[in-house]
Amino acid sequence: MELGKNIAKYRKERNLTQARLADMLGVSFQAVSKWENGNSMPDILLLPKLAAVLNVSCDILIGHYPAVFSSPYDELYQSPEYYWGTQPTTLSMKVLSFYPPMSSPSLLDIGCREGQNVLFFGRNGYRATGVDVSEAGIKKAQLLAENWHVRAEFICASIENYLPRHNFDIVFCDDMLHLLPPDSRLQLLKECKKFTQPGGIHVMNVPVEKPFLTYKYGIQKAYPWHSGELFTIYYDWEILEGGETGKMPMGHGGEERIYNYLVARKREGKGI
């Protein structure tokens, strides 16, 4: 099923119809449809050509996310100390307020760093999954989970390539989306909206540009958001709470930034 979902995902990203992909591979469009629906599998000898056409590796196409990614924070994460700390961030409290864990809801933390929010959610009864590009950060999160006896899943993958195995009730992202180029982050949020259960929520924030502030984003290239830009992506969802706030970025040092934040709910039977 994961292979089929990946074929559909990357086919659509390349703006290919099932018929066009079938022509490029020399198969019938019914075969492509069966792959995507999980009713059959492509021949193993066809996988390299299929991956090349879809512009991804065979590993990623079949759902294996090898830890070959690198992060500017990898070196900082080598320290036994936790660069981002181990306490949950203020934004994580919004999840408890708007989607309490009575039914053990599933939660995805995009860009989980060293795991402090994922572990907070896990300790409070959420079925939490954290994804981050840094293998060093993921290993520290796993170590902390073991020491605290917290059940949580951690995946080392580029969030731009990661495709969940199931839908989530909650998608959480704290101070990470400005690290993706505009086209990539828009595509990411569209995908996140699709695999969110009806009635589920998104809780996230992004630093926004202000003419009176000059930001220094540290060791990683950043692409700040415009005020209100985040809200336009959720035009078809119910905005439960949102606004503008100033805060110090996580980590060591840095000046105060201005953020847009939102809590949005997917409408039952509506929206993507």
Side-chain angles (χ1 to χ4, degrees), residues 24-265:
M24 297 172 75
L25 297 173
V27 300
S28 68
F29 78 89
Q30 291 95 338
V32 174
S33 178
K34 289 180 179 180
W35 298 343
E36 294 185 357
N37 291 328
N39 294 324
S40 68
M41 301 277 283
D43 189 286
I44 192 170
L45 297 178
L46 192 61
L47 280 179
K49 184 176 181 180
L50 177 59
V53 168
L54 297 177
N55 197 31
V56 295
S57 69
C58 287
D59 280 340
I60 289 176
L61 188 61
I62 65 176
H64 174 61
Y65 306 100
V68 297
F69 307 104
S70 62
S71 166
Y73 289 97
D74 281 339
E75 185 175 348
L76 294 172
Y77 291 163
Q78 299 303 320
S79 168
E81 296 182 358
Y82 281 73
Y83 181 78
W84 304 105
T86 57
Q87 296 301 308
T89 61
T90 301
L91 188 69
S92 66
M93 304 302 170
K94 300 288 186 185
V95 175
L96 269 71
S97 298
F98 288 96
Y99 208 124
M102 279 89 75
S103 59
S104 298
S106 56
L107 179 147
L108 175 65
D109 184 348
I110 297 173
C112 67
R113 301 183 175 90
E114 298 165 293
Q116 81 269 40
N117 286 317
V118 175
L119 296 175
F120 169 72
F121 294 130
R123 295 174 84 174
N124 280 279
Y126 296 88
R127 289 178 288 118
T129 299
V131 179
D132 198 274
V133 72
S134 171
E135 183 179 12
I138 290 295
K139 286 182 176 179
K140 291 181 74 173
Q142 291 171 330
L143 178 62
L144 199 60
E146 292 174 5
N147 291 339
W148 288 1
H149 306 288
V150 177
R151 293 186 62 181
E153 180 182 19
F154 293 98
I155 298 172
C156 183
S158 166
I159 194 63
E160 296 173 82
N161 293 322
Y162 169 68
L163 188 66
R165 295 180 175 86
H166 57 82
N167 290 342
F168 285 88
D169 298 303
I170 304 159
V171 176
F172 176 84
C173 185
D174 192 344
D175 201 8
M176 191 285 292
L177 289 171
H178 61 289
L179 302 178
L180 298 178
D183 288 346
S184 296
R185 67 198 186 199
L186 177 60
Q187 183 62 38
L188 169 62
L189 291 182
K190 285 182 177 179
E191 290 296 322
C192 289
K193 290 173 71 178
K194 289 178 183 177
F195 63 66
T196 300
Q197 298 278 22
I201 66 171
H202 284 191
V203 180
M204 54 191 60
N205 62 18
V206 296
V208 293
E209 289 185 320
K210 293 293 180 180
F212 53 86
L213 290 176
T214 301
Y215 295 143
K216 296 179 181 178
Y217 284 96
I219 64 176
Q220 195 164 356
K221 184 176 176 61
Y223 307 84
W225 292 63
H226 300 295
S227 290
E229 182 183 354
L230 180 62
F231 300 99
T232 64
I233 298 174
Y234 290 86
Y235 70 93
D236 54 346
W237 285 33
E238 179 185 3
I239 305 298
L240 302 177
E241 184 176 300
E244 190 170 275
T245 181
K247 74 166 190 173
M248 296 295 291
M250 293 188 295
H252 303 281
E255 71 287 350
E256 186 177 29
R257 300 175 187 165
I258 303 297
Y259 285 77
N260 280 175
Y261 78 95
L262 68 73
V263 181
R265 175 183 290 141

